[in-house]
Amino acid sequence: MTVSAELRADCANCFALCCVALPFAASAGFAVDKAAGEPCGNLRDDFRCGIHAELRGRGFAGCTVFDCFGAGQKVSRVTFGGRDWRRHPGTARRMFDVFPVMRGLHELLWYLTEALGLPAARPLRADLRRALRDTDRLTRGTPEDLAAVDVTAVRDGVNALLLRASELVRAQVPGRKRSHRGADLMGARLAGAALRGANLRGALLVAADLRKADLRTADLIGADLRDADLRGADLTGALFLTQAQLNAARGDRATRLPATLTRPAHW
């Protein structure tokens, strides 16, 4: 899988949209409450975070696990042509409304790009390319066009393709594959579990013990890995795993990762 720079967050070319547009509540991930459209108190005038190097220690671990998949710079530099919400306050409300839409579309582009690189999904490549092209076209619309996009409907169509791609890949894994799709596995004891080729789509794996688990070629799209223990786990070839999911989990140097993702600094 080769991911273009367009699908990776580039904070230097974004007007800190995740720090303003999105709400958060005081919790384990955030030290304070913040309403949607309200700039975070740590945001500087130059759109940079004033405590970026200390986010986890200052109670803002939630910021370190967020990934916009490049939506921030697309909205800032393409959709709104470099007009920031501070100097052009008339753009603020529409910009903040459009950002979550763009993020949802960019996340789908990430998954479609990955699916296109899967050899076993070759029979679906024409459909995957078409979906990629159609989704990309939506991201290049006007603010009004984007505000009108039904992301849920787009996601449903793309997800059907992604599921078929996943099934083709996992069918090549020998033996019986486990299905835990949407399962509540919060805090589950799965250390050393044989989950190669398993279906873990949308599974709740918060604080699950997955030490040394075999998760090769497992489908992890939408799985909640917050505080999951991945020390020594093998995630080689895991399907539709994102950097945000890894950032929310715990791991170590022995955790094996897909080549497109990086080992979180806090591991």
Side-chain angles (χ1 to χ4, degrees):
M1 173 184 173
T2 301
V3 180
S4 70
E6 187 176 357
L7 297 181
R8 295 189 185 277
D10 179 4
C11 298
N13 281 301
C14 175
F15 299 135
L17 297 185
C18 63
C19 306
V20 186
L22 307 179
F24 52 72
S27 60
F30 298 99
V32 297
D33 293 320
K34 188 192 82 65
E38 174 188 322
C40 174
N42 298 309
L43 185 63
R44 303 187 319 202
D45 290 341
D46 62 357
F47 301 111
R48 299 294 176 266
C49 175
I51 61 167
H52 188 266
E54 308 168 44
L55 282 168
R56 285 185 169 269
R58 298 281 289 272
F60 288 88
C63 297
T64 68
V65 306
F66 181 76
D67 185 1
C68 75
F69 297 96
Q73 68 259 26
K74 174 75 78 63
V75 172
S76 299
R77 302 298 174 178
V78 179
T79 311
F80 285 87
R83 292 172 295 154
D84 71 75
W85 49 270
R86 279 198 168 120
R87 290 183 296 174
H88 302 272
T91 68
R93 182 171 181 177
R94 181 50 59 89
M95 187 179 292
F96 301 156
D97 288 344
V98 162
F99 174 61
V101 175
M102 185 70 81
R103 187 202 178 272
L105 295 174
H106 267 233
E107 183 176 9
L108 294 177
L109 291 176
W110 175 282
Y111 294 141
L112 286 166
T113 300
E114 177 176 344
L116 275 167
L118 299 171
R122 185 180 297 274
L124 300 176
R125 283 188 178 169
D127 290 335
L128 288 167
R129 287 194 184 98
R130 187 179 304 109
L132 183 72
R133 184 172 58 249
D134 291 346
T135 306
D136 180 68
R137 184 165 53 246
L138 291 174
T139 72
R140 301 184 187 281
T142 65
E144 293 71 26
D145 292 335
L146 282 160
V149 171
D150 185 342
V151 178
T152 299
V154 178
R155 182 181 292 113
D156 287 346
V158 169
N159 189 54
L161 268 179
L162 297 176
L163 179 57
R164 290 167 60 193
S166 170
E167 290 170 344
L168 288 171
V169 173
R170 292 183 295 107
Q172 295 187 334
V173 177
R176 183 179 179 182
K177 275 77 69 177
R178 298 188 184 185
S179 179
H180 297 293
R181 185 175 183 178
D184 184 350
L185 297 172
M186 186 171 180
R189 298 177 180 178
L190 296 168
L195 294 168
R196 185 180 180 190
N199 184 348
L200 290 163
R201 296 168 69 90
L204 184 65
L205 288 161
V206 176
D209 182 358
L210 289 162
R211 289 173 297 167
K212 297 185 178 180
D214 185 355
L215 290 157
R216 288 176 293 169
T217 326
D219 187 340
L220 290 165
I221 195 168
D224 191 340
L225 294 172
R226 284 176 295 166
D227 206 33
D229 192 342
L230 296 173
R231 288 177 293 172
D234 190 348
L235 291 152
T236 306
L239 300 173
F240 309 124
L241 179 66
T242 67
Q243 191 65 50
Q245 287 171 299
L246 285 182
N247 291 348
R250 294 179 290 134
D252 60 13
R253 292 182 179 180
T255 306
R256 300 183 64 185
L257 305 176
T260 54
L261 302 176
T262 59
R263 197 172 308 278
H266 65 278
W267 284 14

